[in-house]
Amino acid sequence: MNLTNRSFLKLLDYTPEELEGLLDLAADLKAKKKAGIRHDALRGKNIALIFEKTSTRTRCSFEVAAHDLGMEVTYLDPSGSQIGKKESIADTARVLGRMFDGIEYRGYGQSIVEELACYAGVPVWNGLTNEFHPTQILADFLTIREHFGHLKGINFVYFGDARYNMGNSLMVGCAKMGLNFTACAPKKYQPDAALVEQCRAIAAETGAAISFEEDPAKAAKGADVLYTDVWVSMGEPVEVWAERINDLAAYQINQQLMDIAGPRAVFMHCLPAYHDHKTTVGREMGERFGRDAMEVTDEVFEGPRSIVFDEAENRMHTIKAVMAATLGYNG
Ligand code: CP
Ligand code: NVA
């Protein structure tokens, strides 16, 4: 596998073999880190991290992974740069491309990260856009592979708003890697028809199946992975909360759904998650809409079949693999 100088913008740009290669590299780098084996082959390189939306996991993963690989990091926060306000994306890309060996970007439209990559002349990594969150899917799939021993044939069910970055990327990832993907949501929250068509064509090659189900109990039956995400994403107006809760409350992952799925099933979530009233927003939602106004119950989130923290840890190992491979280090 040679991914040197490639950007990582969306899973659609990568073949199943390349994605598998990135998972293998991540597993190797993870084993090296756990064994205390140095893997700082990218010493002397510099990367920029641009965040136009907030982050805990993605930012920390890029920073820790870069440090492990021997690189230096510059962080540009949502207010601390000229990007898109006083300076165009194309100009920013050409400036940063002269200084840095790689650039991470988290922000709004996918077109922005694509434009950045077009002008930067160095690898650009998508740290989340409205449309896609590709590094998250690598972490999710490494976690599934560690837990079940394989990806092909896994029955993967996504509950909730399936039209946004997580639903889109998981559907593409499942199609590419041969997992059976079901989006369980009311019709208006199901993914874009053109993307579905594209995924079905990929699935025909890999043996995956793409389906939709409005009934949560039917979707949970036979599921190996029950996955959800917040109902209102970063950048969406607070006014949509009430409508989302009204539309998606029946799609909350609770113990009853886990029991329908059976003892082999696991719970996954990209995080951050609303599962109790301990956060400011969680408290406010609880007060305004009641206990069930969240995408997962605390019982499931804290339960024995929740693998969300393995998943969060794997963000770092997989992001490390993406940076390493695209900057020319293959373990
Ligand atoms: N899952 C994820 O991307 O988390 P952050 O928003 O904390 O980076
Ligand atoms: N859909 C969520 C994912 C966060 C990792 C968001 O965009 O806010």
Side-chain angles (χ1 to χ4, degrees), residues 298-318:
D298 199 44
E299 185 182 13
V300 170
F301 186 92
E302 298 293 354
R305 285 143 73 193
S306 168
I307 55 172
V308 295
F309 295 110
D310 292 337
E311 191 183 351
E313 178 190 331
N314 282 339
R315 295 297 311 285
M316 199 283 285
H317 304 299
T318 45

Side-chain angles (χ1 to χ4, degrees), residues 128 133 164-165 229-230 233-234 270-271:
L128 179 144
H133 194 9
Y164 216 68
N165 43 25
D229 181 19
V230 290
S233 287
M234 289 182 276
C270 55
L271 308 183

Side-chain angles (χ1 to χ4, degrees), residues 200-214:
R200 285 209 162 119
I202 298 166
E205 302 283 314
T206 63
I210 309 286
S211 60
F212 304 99
E213 176 56 65
E214 285 188 74

Side-chain angles (χ1 to χ4, degrees), residues 245-297:
I245 288 168
N246 183 49
D247 292 344
L248 296 172
Y251 297 84
Q252 180 194 60
I253 300 188
N254 53 32
Q255 197 53 46
Q256 199 187 338
L257 270 196
M258 293 302 295
D259 290 344
I260 293 172
R264 173 186 146 96
V266 294
F267 168 72
M268 296 181 74
H269 190 309
C270 55
L271 308 183
Y274 296 117
H275 59 94
D276 58 27
H277 297 159
K278 289 179 193 140
T279 61
T280 326
V281 179
R283 246 194 316 277
E284 193 190 319
M285 280 162 55
E287 278 160 19
R288 284 178 61 192
F289 303 109
R291 276 192 70 239
D292 285 338
M294 296 178 187
E295 71 271 14
V296 56
T297 60

Side-chain angles (χ1 to χ4, degrees), residues 54-59 106 133 136 234 270-272 315:
T54 53
S55 167
T56 297
R57 276 145 292 273
T58 309
R59 175 185 175 180
R106 164 173 286 199
H133 194 9
Q136 176 72 50
M234 289 182 276
C270 55
L271 308 183
R315 295 297 311 285

Side-chain angles (χ1 to χ4, degrees), residues 51-307:
F51 280 85
E52 300 209 84
K53 290 176 178 169
T54 53
S55 167
T56 297
R57 276 145 292 273
T58 309
R59 175 185 175 180
C60 294
S61 295
F62 271 98
E63 294 214 12
V64 172
H67 294 148
D68 284 355
L69 291 166
M71 299 193 287
E72 301 290 331
V73 177
T74 298
Y75 174 71
L76 296 154
D77 74 23
S79 59
S81 75
Q82 317 284 23
I83 299 164
K85 300 181 274 283
K86 277 174 70 179
E87 191 162 35
S88 70
I89 300 301
D91 291 357
T92 304
R94 285 175 288 181
V95 171
L96 297 182
R98 298 284 184 110
M99 300 180 189
F100 293 96
D101 299 287
I103 302 165
E104 179 276 351
Y105 176 84
R106 164 173 286 199
Y108 296 87
Q110 179 72 15
S111 61
I112 299 172
V113 78
E114 302 272 353
E115 190 177 351
L116 203 54
C118 186
Y119 287 96
V122 296
V124 170
W125 309 298
N126 179 356
L128 179 144
T129 59
N130 295 346
E131 292 89 341
F132 294 115
H133 194 9
T135 63
Q136 176 72 50
I137 281 52
L138 291 182
D140 298 343
F141 284 11
L142 180 63
T143 312
I144 293 171
R145 209 170 77 165
E146 288 171 347
H147 188 87
F148 290 102
H150 63 98
L151 291 175
K152 267 201 189 306
I154 289 290
N155 293 322
F156 187 104
V157 185
Y158 180 87
F159 293 87
D161 183 357
R163 308 160 304 176
Y164 216 68
N165 43 25
M166 285 311 305
N168 289 342
S169 311
L170 286 165
M171 179 170 69
V172 176
C174 287
K176 289 259 175 190
M177 304 307 284
L179 294 83
N180 301 317
F181 176 85
T182 302
C184 183
K187 274 208 176 59
K188 73 178 191 199
Y189 293 93
Q190 292 180 357
D192 172 65
L195 186 64
V196 171
E197 203 177 306
Q198 211 175 350
C199 287
R200 285 209 162 119
I202 298 166
E205 302 283 314
T206 63
I210 309 286
S211 60
F212 304 99
E213 176 56 65
E214 285 188 74
D215 179 342
K218 279 191 191 149
K221 202 159 187 284
D224 297 311
V225 178
L226 291 86
Y227 198 113
T228 192
D229 181 19
V230 290
W231 292 338
V232 180
S233 287
M234 289 182 276
E236 294 198 280
V238 285
E239 291 74 42
V240 302
W241 268 118
E243 184 190 359
R244 292 287 163 81
I245 288 168
N246 183 49
D247 292 344
L248 296 172
Y251 297 84
Q252 180 194 60
I253 300 188
N254 53 32
Q255 197 53 46
Q256 199 187 338
L257 270 196
M258 293 302 295
D259 290 344
I260 293 172
R264 173 186 146 96
V266 294
F267 168 72
M268 296 181 74
H269 190 309
C270 55
L271 308 183
Y274 296 117
H275 59 94
D276 58 27
H277 297 159
K278 289 179 193 140
T279 61
T280 326
V281 179
R283 246 194 316 277
E284 193 190 319
M285 280 162 55
E287 278 160 19
R288 284 178 61 192
F289 303 109
R291 276 192 70 239
D292 285 338
M294 296 178 187
E295 71 271 14
V296 56
T297 60
D298 199 44
E299 185 182 13
V300 170
F301 186 92
E302 298 293 354
R305 285 143 73 193
S306 168
I307 55 172

